[in-house]
Each structure stands twice: as structure tokens, then as C-alpha cells.
Amino acid sequence: MSASGGGQMLEREEESQNEVRREDQENINKFGRLNARMYEVRGERDAIKTKLERIDDASTELMMGSGDKVMLMLGGAFFESSEEDATEFCEAEVEKYQAVVDKLEEEESEILEEQEKLKKILYTRFGKSINLEDS
């Protein structure tokens, strides 16, 4: 057996010396759940930001309007509305969606903070034998 082959074997043995305790498994599972939730939060946030951009575009179009009646889409139906009412509707929608985005960004921040705590615990216990990074 070559010296380099023996060195690799020792590294593998060193990595597997730590048995996975129940507490470790719970932390690993918690990290995984947090990671899954983080991707959900990011997806929701991005979808809402897209809606916000569309509403902003609509508001811009309304500002450039001539004061005529406009068609406002609510759900799957169009309703005739004044530019002023449509503008107020857009502003209310922006406020509503922005509050949701702010809440999702706060949740993402909390998730990342909790994941950092779990990374410290798990990397201290398992070193290189565990990978908690996104690839």
C-alpha cells in the first residue's frame, strides 16, 4: 500500500470517529427544514417582487393617461374605473405587497441567522465530514 493511500484511509477513519447522536440528527434535520423554507421564502419574495414591478408599470401608465376611464382587472374580470380610483388601488396593492416582501425578507434573515448557529455546532462536531453549504 502506498503512503498516500494510507493517509487517505486515516482521514476517512478520523472523519467517521464521531457517531451521529440524536441531538446531532435533530440539528441536521432542523438545518434541512430551514434550508427548504429559505428557498420557499425566496421564491415567494421573488414572485411578489415581480407583481410589484407590474403594478409599478401600471401606475406609470396611469400617470401618463389622459384622465379617461380605464379598465381595472380584479381577479379574472375587468371593471371600468376612473384613473384616480385605479391609481389608489395600485398604491394600496403596492403597500400590501411591500409589507409581505418585508416580512419574507425578515424571515429569510432569521433563517440565515439560525442556520449559522447550527453550522457552528455541526462543523465543530463533524468537521469536514459534513457539508452544509449550497453548491
Side-chain angles (χ1 to χ4, degrees):
M1 190 185 280
S2 70
S4 64
Q8 288 177 348
M9 291 298 284
L10 284 176
E11 287 177 16
R12 286 188 185 137
E13 287 174 8
E14 288 173 7
E15 287 180 2
S16 63
Q17 281 181 350
N18 291 329
E19 287 190 30
V20 178
R21 303 174 300 197
R22 181 182 181 106
E23 175 186 349
D24 299 327
Q25 189 60 55
E26 288 172 357
N27 284 335
I28 292 166
N29 293 346
K30 184 176 182 180
F31 185 90
R33 286 190 305 271
L34 287 170
N35 207 43
R37 179 62 187 146
M38 183 178 58
Y39 283 103
E40 290 173 4
V41 165
R42 287 178 176 169
E44 289 175 38
R45 181 199 60 206
D46 292 345
I48 292 172
K49 281 187 172 184
T50 300
K51 286 182 183 179
L52 280 170
E53 288 173 11
R54 288 181 182 156
I55 294 170
D56 186 50
D57 291 346
S59 293
T60 302
E61 288 293 322
L62 286 168
M63 282 188 245
M64 296 182 344
S66 61
D68 296 335
K69 297 282 185 185
V70 295
M71 298 302 286
L72 184 62
M73 184 174 183
L74 297 173
F78 286 95
F79 297 93
E80 190 173 299
S81 173
S82 69
E83 274 189 26
E84 185 178 324
D85 289 342
T87 300
E88 288 176 17
F89 175 79
C90 287
E91 289 170 356
E93 289 293 290
V94 166
E95 285 181 30
K96 178 178 81 175
Y97 285 125
Q98 189 60 54
V100 174
V101 167
D102 293 345
K103 184 179 174 187
L104 290 170
E105 287 176 345
E106 182 180 327
E107 183 179 353
E108 180 183 9
S109 176
E110 291 169 0
I111 288 170
L112 290 171
E113 188 176 307
E114 184 66 24
Q115 281 184 320
E116 285 303 313
K117 290 177 188 174
L118 290 169
K119 281 182 183 181
K120 286 179 186 174
I121 293 167
L122 293 168
Y123 279 134
T124 299
R125 175 105 170 100
F126 295 105
K128 292 181 181 178
S129 65
I130 191 167
N131 182 13
L132 303 171
E133 304 302 322
D134 286 336
S135 351

